[in-house]
Amino acid sequence: MMPDVTGGNALRAQEQMAGTEVRFEDATGKNREVVDPQAWRVCDSRPGANQQITSYPVVLLVTPTSEPCPEGASG
C-alpha cells in the first residue's frame, strides 16, 4: 500500500519506503535531476496515496522546497 507522503520531504519519503524502488520526477516538467532529495518536497505520487503498489519503481513527483507544487498537484 502506498503511504501518503504528499507534502513531505522527499528524502524522508524515500526513507519511509525503505525496500521499495523509488524514482524522483520533477513535478514541474523541467526534468531537473534530484541530486539532494533533502531539498525537495513531494507534490504527488504514482500510485496515489493509499493505493495498491502494482508496478515499480514508485514515482514521487517533487519540486524544490523553494518552489510551490504545480497547479493540479497537491502538497
Side-chain angles (χ1 to χ4, degrees):
M1 200 61 82
M2 180 68 188
D4 185 0
V5 293
T6 303
N9 178 271
L11 180 62
R12 279 197 282 284
Q14 185 179 33
E15 290 170 347
Q16 184 178 341
M17 299 178 64
T20 302
E21 187 182 350
V22 174
R23 180 167 52 91
F24 297 110
E25 264 184 33
D26 188 338
T28 65
K30 295 178 184 173
N31 293 322
R32 292 173 288 188
E33 187 177 352
V34 179
V35 177
D36 179 13
Q38 180 70 39
W40 293 68
R41 172 182 51 245
V42 179
C43 293
D44 207 352
S45 63
R46 287 195 307 261
N50 304 311
Q51 292 182 353
Q52 191 67 37
I53 299 172
T54 57
S55 63
Y56 296 91
V58 166
V59 177
L60 297 179
L61 299 158
V62 296
T63 58
T65 54
S66 60
E67 297 178 19
C69 287
E71 197 62 40
S74 33

Short mmCIF file of all heavy atoms in Angstrom, two decimals:
data_model
loop_
_atom_site.label_atom_id
_atom_site.label_comp_id
_atom_site.label_asym_id
_atom_site.label_seq_id
_atom_site.Cartn_x
_atom_site.Cartn_y
_atom_site.Cartn_z
N MET A 1 0.85 -1.18 0.00
CA MET A 1 0.00 0.00 0.00
C MET A 1 0.90 1.25 0.00
O MET A 1 1.87 1.31 0.75
CB MET A 1 -0.90 -0.04 1.24
CG MET A 1 -2.12 0.83 1.16
SD MET A 1 -3.27 0.43 -0.14
CE MET A 1 -4.19 -0.89 0.54
N MET A 2 0.55 2.21 -0.81
CA MET A 2 1.35 3.44 -0.94
C MET A 2 1.06 4.36 0.24
O MET A 2 -0.10 4.74 0.46
CB MET A 2 1.00 4.14 -2.26
CG MET A 2 1.75 5.42 -2.51
SD MET A 2 3.49 5.09 -2.80
CE MET A 2 4.12 6.75 -2.81
N PRO A 3 2.09 4.74 1.01
CA PRO A 3 1.84 5.67 2.13
C PRO A 3 1.56 7.08 1.58
O PRO A 3 1.93 7.41 0.45
CB PRO A 3 3.16 5.65 2.91
CG PRO A 3 4.19 5.22 1.92
CD PRO A 3 3.49 4.34 0.93
N ASP A 4 0.89 7.89 2.38
CA ASP A 4 0.61 9.27 1.99
C ASP A 4 1.83 10.11 2.37
O ASP A 4 2.00 10.48 3.52
CB ASP A 4 -0.65 9.80 2.67
CG ASP A 4 -1.03 11.19 2.20
OD1 ASP A 4 -0.32 11.76 1.34
OD2 ASP A 4 -2.04 11.71 2.68
N VAL A 5 2.68 10.39 1.39
CA VAL A 5 3.90 11.16 1.63
C VAL A 5 3.79 12.56 1.04
O VAL A 5 4.73 13.34 1.09
CB VAL A 5 5.14 10.43 1.08
CG1 VAL A 5 5.39 9.15 1.86
CG2 VAL A 5 5.00 10.14 -0.42
N THR A 6 2.62 12.90 0.48
CA THR A 6 2.41 14.19 -0.16
C THR A 6 2.64 15.33 0.81
O THR A 6 2.14 15.32 1.93
CB THR A 6 0.98 14.26 -0.73
OG1 THR A 6 0.80 13.17 -1.62
CG2 THR A 6 0.74 15.56 -1.47
N GLY A 7 3.41 16.32 0.36
CA GLY A 7 3.69 17.49 1.19
C GLY A 7 4.92 17.31 2.05
O GLY A 7 5.42 18.27 2.63
N GLY A 8 5.44 16.10 2.11
CA GLY A 8 6.59 15.83 2.96
C GLY A 8 7.91 15.96 2.22
O GLY A 8 7.96 16.14 1.01
N ASN A 9 8.96 15.84 2.98
CA ASN A 9 10.31 15.91 2.45
C ASN A 9 10.60 14.66 1.62
O ASN A 9 10.29 13.55 2.04
CB ASN A 9 11.28 16.03 3.63
CG ASN A 9 12.71 16.06 3.19
OD1 ASN A 9 13.34 15.01 3.06
ND2 ASN A 9 13.24 17.25 2.97
N ALA A 10 11.19 14.84 0.43
CA ALA A 10 11.43 13.72 -0.48
C ALA A 10 12.37 12.68 0.12
O ALA A 10 12.17 11.48 -0.07
CB ALA A 10 11.96 14.24 -1.80
N LEU A 11 13.41 13.11 0.83
CA LEU A 11 14.33 12.16 1.43
C LEU A 11 13.63 11.33 2.50
O LEU A 11 13.77 10.11 2.55
CB LEU A 11 15.55 12.88 2.04
CG LEU A 11 16.58 11.98 2.70
CD1 LEU A 11 17.19 11.01 1.69
CD2 LEU A 11 17.67 12.81 3.37
N ARG A 12 12.83 11.97 3.35
CA ARG A 12 12.11 11.23 4.38
C ARG A 12 11.10 10.27 3.75
O ARG A 12 10.90 9.16 4.25
CB ARG A 12 11.42 12.19 5.35
CG ARG A 12 12.40 12.72 6.40
CD ARG A 12 11.71 13.33 7.60
NE ARG A 12 11.21 14.66 7.35
CZ ARG A 12 11.95 15.77 7.29
NH1 ARG A 12 13.24 15.69 7.49
NH2 ARG A 12 11.41 16.94 7.07
N ALA A 13 10.48 10.68 2.66
CA ALA A 13 9.53 9.80 1.97
C ALA A 13 10.26 8.56 1.45
O ALA A 13 9.76 7.44 1.59
CB ALA A 13 8.86 10.55 0.82
N GLN A 14 11.43 8.77 0.88
CA GLN A 14 12.23 7.65 0.38
C GLN A 14 12.63 6.72 1.52
O GLN A 14 12.55 5.51 1.40
CB GLN A 14 13.46 8.19 -0.34
CG GLN A 14 14.29 7.12 -1.02
CD GLN A 14 15.50 7.69 -1.74
OE1 GLN A 14 16.08 8.68 -1.30
NE2 GLN A 14 15.87 7.09 -2.84
N GLU A 15 13.03 7.31 2.64
CA GLU A 15 13.42 6.50 3.81
C GLU A 15 12.22 5.73 4.36
O GLU A 15 12.35 4.59 4.78
CB GLU A 15 14.00 7.41 4.90
CG GLU A 15 15.37 7.96 4.54
CD GLU A 15 15.84 9.05 5.49
OE1 GLU A 15 15.03 9.57 6.29
OE2 GLU A 15 17.04 9.41 5.42
N GLN A 16 11.05 6.37 4.35
CA GLN A 16 9.83 5.74 4.86
C GLN A 16 9.48 4.52 4.01
O GLN A 16 8.86 3.58 4.49
CB GLN A 16 8.68 6.75 4.81
CG GLN A 16 7.38 6.25 5.39
CD GLN A 16 6.31 7.33 5.37
OE1 GLN A 16 6.59 8.51 5.24
NE2 GLN A 16 5.06 6.93 5.47
N MET A 17 9.89 4.53 2.76
CA MET A 17 9.57 3.43 1.85
C MET A 17 10.76 2.52 1.63
O MET A 17 10.92 1.93 0.57
CB MET A 17 9.08 4.02 0.52
CG MET A 17 7.84 4.85 0.70
SD MET A 17 7.30 5.58 -0.83
CE MET A 17 6.92 4.10 -1.74
N ALA A 18 11.60 2.39 2.63
CA ALA A 18 12.80 1.56 2.54
C ALA A 18 12.44 0.18 2.00
O ALA A 18 11.44 -0.41 2.40
CB ALA A 18 13.44 1.44 3.91
N GLY A 19 13.25 -0.29 1.06
CA GLY A 19 13.00 -1.59 0.47
C GLY A 19 12.13 -1.51 -0.78
O GLY A 19 11.97 -2.50 -1.48
N THR A 20 11.57 -0.34 -1.07
CA THR A 20 10.76 -0.14 -2.27
C THR A 20 11.58 0.68 -3.26
O THR A 20 12.20 1.66 -2.88
CB THR A 20 9.46 0.62 -1.91
OG1 THR A 20 8.74 -0.12 -0.94
CG2 THR A 20 8.59 0.83 -3.14
N GLU A 21 11.56 0.27 -4.51
CA GLU A 21 12.28 1.03 -5.54
C GLU A 21 11.53 2.34 -5.79
O GLU A 21 10.35 2.34 -6.14
CB GLU A 21 12.35 0.21 -6.83
CG GLU A 21 13.23 0.84 -7.89
CD GLU A 21 13.24 0.04 -9.18
OE1 GLU A 21 12.73 -1.10 -9.21
OE2 GLU A 21 13.76 0.58 -10.17
N VAL A 22 12.23 3.47 -5.58
CA VAL A 22 11.63 4.79 -5.70
C VAL A 22 12.39 5.60 -6.74
O VAL A 22 13.62 5.57 -6.79
CB VAL A 22 11.66 5.53 -4.34
CG1 VAL A 22 11.17 6.96 -4.47
CG2 VAL A 22 10.85 4.78 -3.30
N ARG A 23 11.64 6.32 -7.57
CA ARG A 23 12.25 7.22 -8.55
C ARG A 23 11.64 8.61 -8.36
O ARG A 23 10.45 8.74 -8.15
CB ARG A 23 11.97 6.72 -9.97
CG ARG A 23 12.58 7.59 -11.05
CD ARG A 23 12.57 6.91 -12.40
NE ARG A 23 11.28 6.39 -12.82
CZ ARG A 23 10.39 7.08 -13.53
NH1 ARG A 23 10.62 8.30 -13.90
NH2 ARG A 23 9.25 6.51 -13.87
N PHE A 24 12.48 9.63 -8.41
CA PHE A 24 12.01 11.01 -8.31
C PHE A 24 11.81 11.59 -9.70
O PHE A 24 12.62 11.35 -10.59
CB PHE A 24 13.03 11.88 -7.55
CG PHE A 24 13.25 11.46 -6.14
CD1 PHE A 24 14.44 10.88 -5.75
CD2 PHE A 24 12.26 11.63 -5.19
CE1 PHE A 24 14.65 10.50 -4.44
CE2 PHE A 24 12.46 11.24 -3.87
CZ PHE A 24 13.65 10.68 -3.50
N GLU A 25 10.73 12.37 -9.86
CA GLU A 25 10.49 13.09 -11.10
C GLU A 25 10.17 14.53 -10.75
O GLU A 25 9.43 14.79 -9.81
CB GLU A 25 9.28 12.50 -11.85
CG GLU A 25 9.63 11.50 -12.90
CD GLU A 25 8.40 11.02 -13.66
OE1 GLU A 25 7.44 11.79 -13.86
OE2 GLU A 25 8.42 9.84 -14.05
N ASP A 26 10.72 15.46 -11.53
CA ASP A 26 10.43 16.88 -11.35
C ASP A 26 8.97 17.12 -11.70
O ASP A 26 8.56 16.93 -12.85
CB ASP A 26 11.36 17.70 -12.25
CG ASP A 26 11.28 19.19 -12.00
OD1 ASP A 26 10.25 19.66 -11.45
OD2 ASP A 26 12.23 19.88 -12.38
N ALA A 27 8.17 17.52 -10.72
CA ALA A 27 6.73 17.70 -10.93
C ALA A 27 6.41 18.87 -11.87
O ALA A 27 5.31 18.95 -12.39
CB ALA A 27 6.03 17.92 -9.58
N THR A 28 7.39 19.75 -12.09
CA THR A 28 7.14 20.91 -12.94
C THR A 28 7.32 20.60 -14.43
O THR A 28 6.99 21.43 -15.27
CB THR A 28 8.10 22.07 -12.60
OG1 THR A 28 9.44 21.66 -12.92
CG2 THR A 28 8.01 22.45 -11.13
N GLY A 29 7.86 19.43 -14.73
CA GLY A 29 8.11 19.08 -16.12
C GLY A 29 9.43 19.62 -16.65
O GLY A 29 9.74 19.49 -17.83
N LYS A 30 10.23 20.24 -15.78
CA LYS A 30 11.52 20.79 -16.21
C LYS A 30 12.61 19.73 -16.27
O LYS A 30 13.73 20.01 -16.66
CB LYS A 30 11.96 21.92 -15.26
CG LYS A 30 11.04 23.13 -15.29
CD LYS A 30 11.50 24.18 -14.29
CE LYS A 30 10.55 25.35 -14.24
NZ LYS A 30 10.90 26.29 -13.17
N ASN A 31 12.27 18.51 -15.85
CA ASN A 31 13.20 17.38 -15.90
C ASN A 31 14.52 17.62 -15.18
O ASN A 31 15.57 17.14 -15.61
CB ASN A 31 13.47 16.97 -17.36
CG ASN A 31 12.23 16.42 -18.01
OD1 ASN A 31 11.46 15.71 -17.39
ND2 ASN A 31 12.03 16.76 -19.26
N ARG A 32 14.47 18.36 -14.08
CA ARG A 32 15.69 18.57 -13.29
C ARG A 32 16.00 17.29 -12.53
O ARG A 32 15.12 16.60 -12.06
CB ARG A 32 15.49 19.74 -12.31
CG ARG A 32 15.37 21.07 -13.04
CD ARG A 32 15.00 22.16 -12.09
NE ARG A 32 13.59 21.99 -11.68
CZ ARG A 32 12.92 22.88 -10.97
NH1 ARG A 32 13.50 24.00 -10.57
NH2 ARG A 32 11.67 22.67 -10.64
N GLU A 33 17.29 17.02 -12.39
CA GLU A 33 17.73 15.84 -11.66
C GLU A 33 17.67 16.12 -10.17
O GLU A 33 18.08 17.18 -9.70
CB GLU A 33 19.15 15.48 -12.07
CG GLU A 33 19.62 14.18 -11.48
CD GLU A 33 21.02 13.79 -11.94
OE1 GLU A 33 21.56 14.46 -12.83
OE2 GLU A 33 21.55 12.83 -11.38
N VAL A 34 17.16 15.17 -9.41
CA VAL A 34 17.08 15.31 -7.96
C VAL A 34 18.36 14.72 -7.38
O VAL A 34 18.49 13.52 -7.22
CB VAL A 34 15.84 14.59 -7.40
CG1 VAL A 34 15.79 14.72 -5.89
CG2 VAL A 34 14.58 15.16 -8.04
N VAL A 35 19.33 15.61 -7.11
CA VAL A 35 20.61 15.18 -6.57
C VAL A 35 20.53 15.05 -5.05
O VAL A 35 21.05 14.11 -4.46
CB VAL A 35 21.73 16.16 -6.98
CG1 VAL A 35 23.05 15.76 -6.36
CG2 VAL A 35 21.85 16.23 -8.49
N ASP A 36 19.87 16.00 -4.41
CA ASP A 36 19.74 16.02 -2.95
C ASP A 36 18.25 16.00 -2.58
O ASP A 36 17.62 17.05 -2.48
CB ASP A 36 20.41 17.28 -2.39
CG ASP A 36 20.29 17.38 -0.87
OD1 ASP A 36 19.91 16.38 -0.23
OD2 ASP A 36 20.56 18.47 -0.34
N PRO A 37 17.67 14.81 -2.37
CA PRO A 37 16.24 14.72 -2.06
C PRO A 37 15.83 15.53 -0.83
O PRO A 37 14.68 15.92 -0.69
CB PRO A 37 16.00 13.23 -1.84
CG PRO A 37 17.16 12.53 -2.43
CD PRO A 37 18.30 13.50 -2.42
N GLN A 38 16.80 15.80 0.06
CA GLN A 38 16.51 16.58 1.27
C GLN A 38 15.98 17.97 0.91
O GLN A 38 15.23 18.58 1.66
CB GLN A 38 17.79 16.70 2.11
CG GLN A 38 17.64 17.49 3.40
CD GLN A 38 16.82 16.76 4.45
OE1 GLN A 38 16.92 15.55 4.60
NE2 GLN A 38 15.99 17.49 5.17
N ALA A 39 16.36 18.48 -0.26
CA ALA A 39 15.99 19.83 -0.68
C ALA A 39 14.73 19.86 -1.55
O ALA A 39 14.39 20.89 -2.12
CB ALA A 39 17.15 20.47 -1.43
N TRP A 40 14.02 18.73 -1.62
CA TRP A 40 12.82 18.63 -2.46
C TRP A 40 11.61 18.21 -1.63
O TRP A 40 11.74 17.52 -0.63
CB TRP A 40 13.05 17.62 -3.58
CG TRP A 40 14.09 18.05 -4.58
CD1 TRP A 40 15.44 18.18 -4.35
CD2 TRP A 40 13.88 18.41 -5.93
NE1 TRP A 40 16.07 18.60 -5.50
CE2 TRP A 40 15.14 18.74 -6.50
CE3 TRP A 40 12.75 18.48 -6.76
CZ2 TRP A 40 15.29 19.14 -7.82
CZ3 TRP A 40 12.91 18.86 -8.08
CH2 TRP A 40 14.17 19.19 -8.59
N ARG A 41 10.44 18.62 -2.09
CA ARG A 41 9.17 18.30 -1.42
C ARG A 41 8.32 17.44 -2.36
O ARG A 41 8.30 17.66 -3.57
CB ARG A 41 8.42 19.59 -1.11
CG ARG A 41 7.01 19.38 -0.59
CD ARG A 41 6.23 20.67 -0.32
NE ARG A 41 6.27 21.57 -1.46
CZ ARG A 41 6.85 22.77 -1.44
NH1 ARG A 41 7.45 23.21 -0.36
NH2 ARG A 41 6.83 23.54 -2.51
N VAL A 42 7.59 16.48 -1.79
CA VAL A 42 6.72 15.60 -2.58
C VAL A 42 5.41 16.32 -2.86
O VAL A 42 4.71 16.76 -1.95
CB VAL A 42 6.45 14.28 -1.82
CG1 VAL A 42 5.52 13.39 -2.64
CG2 VAL A 42 7.74 13.56 -1.48
N CYS A 43 5.07 16.44 -4.16
CA CYS A 43 3.81 17.05 -4.57
C CYS A 43 2.74 16.00 -4.84
O CYS A 43 1.56 16.24 -4.63
CB CYS A 43 4.01 17.88 -5.83
SG CYS A 43 5.04 19.33 -5.57
N ASP A 44 3.17 14.86 -5.32
CA ASP A 44 2.23 13.80 -5.69
C ASP A 44 3.02 12.51 -5.85
O ASP A 44 4.25 12.52 -5.78
CB ASP A 44 1.53 14.16 -7.00
CG ASP A 44 0.14 13.52 -7.13
OD1 ASP A 44 -0.21 12.67 -6.27
OD2 ASP A 44 -0.58 13.87 -8.07
N SER A 45 2.31 11.42 -6.06
CA SER A 45 2.98 10.14 -6.25
C SER A 45 2.18 9.28 -7.21
O SER A 45 0.99 9.49 -7.42
CB SER A 45 3.14 9.42 -4.91
OG SER A 45 1.86 9.13 -4.35
N ARG A 46 2.90 8.32 -7.81
CA ARG A 46 2.24 7.29 -8.62
C ARG A 46 2.71 5.96 -8.07
O ARG A 46 3.92 5.70 -8.12
CB ARG A 46 2.65 7.42 -10.10
CG ARG A 46 2.02 8.61 -10.77
CD ARG A 46 2.13 8.55 -12.31
NE ARG A 46 3.47 8.35 -12.81
CZ ARG A 46 4.26 9.33 -13.26
NH1 ARG A 46 3.87 10.58 -13.26
NH2 ARG A 46 5.46 9.04 -13.71
N PRO A 47 1.87 5.14 -7.54
CA PRO A 47 0.43 5.34 -7.40
C PRO A 47 0.12 6.39 -6.34
O PRO A 47 1.00 6.80 -5.57
CB PRO A 47 -0.07 3.96 -6.96
CG PRO A 47 1.08 3.37 -6.22
CD PRO A 47 2.32 3.88 -6.94
N GLY A 48 -1.11 6.83 -6.28
CA GLY A 48 -1.53 7.83 -5.29
C GLY A 48 -1.56 7.25 -3.88
O GLY A 48 -1.46 6.03 -3.69
N ALA A 49 -1.68 8.13 -2.91
CA ALA A 49 -1.71 7.72 -1.50
C ALA A 49 -2.79 6.68 -1.25
O ALA A 49 -3.89 6.77 -1.78
CB ALA A 49 -1.95 8.95 -0.62
N ASN A 50 -2.44 5.70 -0.45
CA ASN A 50 -3.34 4.63 -0.02
C ASN A 50 -3.81 3.73 -1.15
O ASN A 50 -4.80 3.01 -0.99
CB ASN A 50 -4.54 5.21 0.75
CG ASN A 50 -4.08 6.05 1.92
OD1 ASN A 50 -3.24 5.62 2.70
ND2 ASN A 50 -4.61 7.25 2.03
N GLN A 51 -3.13 3.77 -2.30
CA GLN A 51 -3.45 2.85 -3.39
C GLN A 51 -2.46 1.69 -3.38
O GLN A 51 -1.35 1.81 -2.88
CB GLN A 51 -3.40 3.57 -4.73
CG GLN A 51 -4.50 4.59 -4.91
CD GLN A 51 -4.44 5.25 -6.28
OE1 GLN A 51 -3.52 5.03 -7.06
NE2 GLN A 51 -5.44 6.06 -6.58
N GLN A 52 -2.88 0.59 -3.95
CA GLN A 52 -2.03 -0.59 -4.04
C GLN A 52 -0.86 -0.32 -4.98
O GLN A 52 -1.04 0.25 -6.05
CB GLN A 52 -2.85 -1.78 -4.55
CG GLN A 52 -2.15 -3.10 -4.44
CD GLN A 52 -1.93 -3.54 -3.01
OE1 GLN A 52 -2.77 -3.31 -2.14
NE2 GLN A 52 -0.79 -4.16 -2.74
N ILE A 53 0.34 -0.71 -4.58
CA ILE A 53 1.51 -0.58 -5.44
C ILE A 53 1.54 -1.83 -6.33
O ILE A 53 1.68 -2.94 -5.83
CB ILE A 53 2.81 -0.46 -4.62
CG1 ILE A 53 2.77 0.79 -3.75
CG2 ILE A 53 4.03 -0.43 -5.54
CD1 ILE A 53 3.92 0.90 -2.75
N THR A 54 1.38 -1.62 -7.64
CA THR A 54 1.33 -2.75 -8.55
C THR A 54 2.51 -2.77 -9.53
O THR A 54 2.72 -3.75 -10.22
CB THR A 54 0.02 -2.75 -9.36
OG1 THR A 54 -0.09 -1.50 -10.05
CG2 THR A 54 -1.17 -2.93 -8.44
N SER A 55 3.25 -1.66 -9.63
CA SER A 55 4.42 -1.64 -10.50
C SER A 55 5.52 -0.81 -9.86
O SER A 55 5.26 0.05 -9.02
CB SER A 55 4.05 -1.08 -11.88
OG SER A 55 3.63 0.26 -11.77
N TYR A 56 6.73 -1.11 -10.28
CA TYR A 56 7.90 -0.43 -9.72
C TYR A 56 8.71 0.16 -10.86
O TYR A 56 8.70 -0.37 -11.96
CB TYR A 56 8.74 -1.42 -8.91
CG TYR A 56 7.98 -1.95 -7.71
CD1 TYR A 56 7.22 -3.11 -7.80
CD2 TYR A 56 7.98 -1.26 -6.52
CE1 TYR A 56 6.50 -3.56 -6.72
CE2 TYR A 56 7.27 -1.71 -5.42
CZ TYR A 56 6.54 -2.86 -5.53
OH TYR A 56 5.83 -3.32 -4.45
N PRO A 57 9.44 1.24 -10.65
CA PRO A 57 9.56 1.93 -9.37
C PRO A 57 8.33 2.78 -9.06
O PRO A 57 7.58 3.17 -9.95
CB PRO A 57 10.78 2.84 -9.58
CG PRO A 57 10.76 3.13 -11.05
CD PRO A 57 10.22 1.88 -11.70
N VAL A 58 8.14 3.05 -7.77
CA VAL A 58 7.15 4.02 -7.33
C VAL A 58 7.71 5.39 -7.72
O VAL A 58 8.91 5.63 -7.60
CB VAL A 58 6.95 3.93 -5.79
CG1 VAL A 58 6.20 5.13 -5.26
CG2 VAL A 58 6.25 2.63 -5.44
N VAL A 59 6.88 6.27 -8.24
CA VAL A 59 7.35 7.58 -8.69
C VAL A 59 6.88 8.66 -7.72
O VAL A 59 5.68 8.76 -7.42
CB VAL A 59 6.82 7.90 -10.11
CG1 VAL A 59 7.26 9.30 -10.54
CG2 VAL A 59 7.32 6.87 -11.11
N LEU A 60 7.83 9.44 -7.22
CA LEU A 60 7.50 10.59 -6.38
C LEU A 60 7.70 11.84 -7.23
O LEU A 60 8.79 12.07 -7.74
CB LEU A 60 8.39 10.63 -5.14
CG LEU A 60 8.25 9.45 -4.18
CD1 LEU A 60 9.20 9.62 -3.00
CD2 LEU A 60 6.83 9.28 -3.69
N LEU A 61 6.63 12.61 -7.42
CA LEU A 61 6.69 13.85 -8.18
C LEU A 61 7.05 14.95 -7.20
O LEU A 61 6.32 15.20 -6.23
CB LEU A 61 5.34 14.11 -8.85
CG LEU A 61 4.96 13.00 -9.83
CD1 LEU A 61 3.47 12.96 -10.07
CD2 LEU A 61 5.71 13.17 -11.13
N VAL A 62 8.18 15.60 -7.42
CA VAL A 62 8.75 16.50 -6.44
C VAL A 62 9.10 17.87 -7.03
O VAL A 62 9.26 18.00 -8.24
CB VAL A 62 10.02 15.88 -5.80
CG1 VAL A 62 9.68 14.62 -5.04
CG2 VAL A 62 11.08 15.58 -6.86
N THR A 63 9.18 18.88 -6.16
CA THR A 63 9.68 20.20 -6.54
C THR A 63 10.67 20.63 -5.47
O THR A 63 10.59 20.18 -4.32
CB THR A 63 8.58 21.28 -6.62
OG1 THR A 63 7.92 21.36 -5.37
CG2 THR A 63 7.58 20.99 -7.72
N PRO A 64 11.60 21.52 -5.83
CA PRO A 64 12.48 22.07 -4.79
C PRO A 64 11.63 22.73 -3.70
O PRO A 64 10.57 23.28 -4.00
CB PRO A 64 13.32 23.11 -5.54
CG PRO A 64 13.29 22.66 -6.96
CD PRO A 64 11.93 22.06 -7.15
N THR A 65 12.09 22.66 -2.47
CA THR A 65 11.30 23.22 -1.36
C THR A 65 11.08 24.72 -1.51
O THR A 65 10.15 25.26 -0.94
CB THR A 65 11.98 22.94 -0.01
OG1 THR A 65 13.32 23.40 -0.05
CG2 THR A 65 11.98 21.45 0.31
N SER A 66 11.89 25.38 -2.33
CA SER A 66 11.73 26.83 -2.54
C SER A 66 10.65 27.17 -3.55
O SER A 66 10.32 28.33 -3.75
CB SER A 66 13.06 27.43 -3.02
OG SER A 66 13.45 26.82 -4.23
N GLU A 67 10.07 26.15 -4.20
CA GLU A 67 9.06 26.37 -5.22
C GLU A 67 7.74 25.73 -4.82
O GLU A 67 7.73 24.71 -4.14
CB GLU A 67 9.50 25.73 -6.55
CG GLU A 67 10.75 26.32 -7.14
CD GLU A 67 11.16 25.60 -8.42
OE1 GLU A 67 10.33 24.91 -9.05
OE2 GLU A 67 12.34 25.74 -8.80
N PRO A 68 6.61 26.31 -5.26
CA PRO A 68 5.32 25.69 -4.98
C PRO A 68 5.12 24.48 -5.89
O PRO A 68 5.74 24.37 -6.95
CB PRO A 68 4.32 26.79 -5.32
CG PRO A 68 5.01 27.61 -6.36
CD PRO A 68 6.48 27.56 -6.00
N CYS A 69 4.25 23.58 -5.46
CA CYS A 69 3.88 22.47 -6.33
C CYS A 69 3.08 23.05 -7.49
O CYS A 69 2.36 24.03 -7.34
CB CYS A 69 3.02 21.47 -5.56
SG CYS A 69 3.95 20.49 -4.37
N PRO A 70 3.19 22.43 -8.67
CA PRO A 70 2.44 22.93 -9.82
C PRO A 70 0.93 22.81 -9.62
O PRO A 70 0.48 21.98 -8.83
CB PRO A 70 2.90 22.06 -10.99
CG PRO A 70 3.77 21.01 -10.43
CD PRO A 70 4.02 21.29 -8.99
N GLU A 71 0.19 23.62 -10.31
CA GLU A 71 -1.28 23.59 -10.24
C GLU A 71 -1.75 22.18 -10.56
O GLU A 71 -1.26 21.56 -11.50
CB GLU A 71 -1.85 24.58 -11.27
CG GLU A 71 -3.29 24.95 -11.02
CD GLU A 71 -3.52 25.64 -9.68
OE1 GLU A 71 -2.70 26.48 -9.30
OE2 GLU A 71 -4.53 25.32 -9.03
N GLY A 72 -2.68 21.68 -9.78
CA GLY A 72 -3.20 20.35 -10.01
C GLY A 72 -2.52 19.29 -9.18
O GLY A 72 -3.06 18.22 -8.99
N ALA A 73 -1.34 19.59 -8.66
CA ALA A 73 -0.65 18.65 -7.76
C ALA A 73 -0.88 19.12 -6.34
O ALA A 73 -0.88 20.30 -6.06
CB ALA A 73 0.84 18.59 -8.08
N SER A 74 -1.11 18.18 -5.45
CA SER A 74 -1.28 18.57 -4.06
C SER A 74 0.08 18.78 -3.42
O SER A 74 1.08 18.84 -4.11
CB SER A 74 -2.11 17.53 -3.33
OG SER A 74 -1.86 16.25 -3.83
N GLY A 75 0.12 18.88 -2.12
CA GLY A 75 1.40 19.05 -1.45
C GLY A 75 1.56 20.48 -1.09
O GLY A 75 2.51 21.04 -0.75
#
